[in-house]
Amino acid sequence: MGGIDILLLIAYGISFVCALLLIAALFLYFRKRFRARVVSLFMLAAFFFLGAYTVKMAVAFWIRFSTATGGDAVYAALKSQAWTVAQTGTTLGLVILTVLMYTRRQDLFLSFPAVKREEEKEDADA
């Protein structure tokens, strides 16, 4: 392994850990927001993007480590397909975030009235 490979592994590792920490923080945010029955569409898109980005970093680790240890044609095809899916998800997340930013729709919220009605029925039954 050369110096660039080591630098890339360090960069991928830092990116992967930061993305996991952000996903954990967003998970707590969404848990709180789903209980309130209102979720920001922008934050939901950011969560989707971070999820795809985290998968992409995991695939990048897999590609780098398997390149260092060798591999066969089946693994090479699988790695290529996994990278394609991860890159497509990341790109889709970025497109959604960009559209929301440039249309100035960062403040769109989704509300869940059906969830509210079910809880009201449970409260009425109790």
Side-chain angles (χ1 to χ4, degrees), residues 51 59 61 67 80 89 92 98 100 110 114:
V59 172
F61 268 121
T67 300
S80 177
L92 183 61
T98 303
L100 289 173
L110 298 173

Side-chain angles (χ1 to χ4, degrees), residues 58-78:
V59 172
F61 268 121
W62 180 31
I63 289 171
R64 282 292 169 184
F65 279 122
S66 64
T67 300
T69 60
D72 60 2
V74 175
Y75 280 129
L78 189 58

Side-chain angles (χ1 to χ4, degrees), residues 13-105:
I14 291 170
S15 296
F16 187 71
V17 169
C18 288
L20 283 176
L21 290 172
L22 285 170
I23 285 174
L26 281 173
F27 176 77
L28 295 173
Y29 165 80
F30 282 122
R31 202 168 110 191
K32 180 178 160 185
R33 298 308 304 161
F34 278 123
R35 285 184 182 153
R37 298 178 196 97
V38 177
V39 177
S40 167
L41 187 60
F42 189 81
M43 293 299 286
L44 201 58
F47 189 70
F48 175 76
F49 168 76
L50 278 171
Y53 183 78
T54 305
V55 170
K56 187 176 174 182
M57 287 299 98
V59 172
F61 268 121
W62 180 31
I63 289 171
R64 282 292 169 184
F65 279 122
S66 64
T67 300
T69 60
D72 60 2
V74 175
Y75 280 129
L78 189 58
K79 285 186 284 189
S80 177
Q81 291 171 355
W83 184 262
T84 302
V85 168
Q87 181 60 48
T88 303
T90 303
T91 302
L92 183 61
L94 281 174
V95 167
I96 292 168
L97 288 170
T98 303
V99 167
L100 289 173
M101 276 304 272
Y102 280 96
T103 58
R104 299 184 188 265
R105 298 292 190 161

Side-chain angles (χ1 to χ4, degrees), residues 103-121:
T103 58
R104 299 184 188 265
R105 298 292 190 161
Q106 304 96 309
D107 57 349
L108 289 178
F109 287 89
L110 298 173
S111 63
F112 303 103
V115 174
K116 185 177 181 181
R117 288 185 197 121
E118 287 177 12
E119 286 184 3
E120 287 174 356
K121 286 179 186 177

